[in-house]
Amino acid sequence: MFIIREVSENDLESLLRLASLLNLINLPRDKHELMKKIQRSKSSFRGKEQDPSKAQYLFVLEDTKRKEIIGTSLIIGKHGTPHEPHVYFSIVPKKKESRS
């Protein structure tokens, strides 16, 4: 069975393992940075962030049978502004030809 739950300090080593497999902005490969994300998430969940737009909620996907963290998700309180929205574009060149 899988559950999605709030991250905890006990998940740090599992998150480091996942971070070593992927190259994600939300999951840095740095133990200190990951611990800061965990602490910020805990503060956000408890409503202790002074500015709610700076809150970050880190979730983990746990395989309860294997007792292993197999995924993560991060919800950011606010990202971008109406005057400076955060937009990401990726240009991927593709060449297609028809033989007819």
Side-chain angles (χ1 to χ4, degrees):
M1 178 167 75
F2 302 110
I3 61 168
I4 298 172
R5 62 169 174 77
E6 174 187 351
V7 71
S8 76
E9 286 91 352
N10 296 335
D11 299 322
L12 181 60
E13 293 303 319
S14 295
L15 292 176
L16 278 169
R17 181 185 54 78
L18 284 176
S20 72
L21 301 172
L22 305 166
N23 185 18
L24 301 173
I25 294 170
N26 294 339
L27 198 59
R29 294 178 181 164
D30 180 283
K31 192 174 196 171
H32 178 71
E33 289 300 314
L34 276 174
M35 184 52 78
K36 284 180 13 184
K37 282 194 173 288
I38 291 170
Q39 290 168 345
R40 185 176 202 173
S41 178
K42 291 176 71 71
S43 174
S44 298
F45 272 109
R46 282 146 190 78
K48 294 183 179 178
E49 283 295 318
Q50 295 290 335
D51 182 353
S53 69
K54 297 192 188 303
Q56 293 187 4
Y57 305 91
L58 182 59
F59 296 87
V60 294
L61 176 62
E62 180 180 356
D63 181 341
T64 58
K65 195 175 199 178
R66 296 178 9 201
K67 298 192 186 306
E68 184 177 20
I69 303 302
I70 58 172
T72 67
S73 177
L74 179 70
I75 297 175
I76 298 172
K78 182 177 180 183
H79 194 69
T81 67
H83 300 290
E84 286 188 50
H86 179 88
V87 180
Y88 175 79
F89 293 99
S90 179
I91 299 173
V92 180
K94 289 187 179 181
K95 184 176 178 179
K96 296 185 178 187
E97 297 179 10
S98 172
R99 293 187 183 183
S100 60

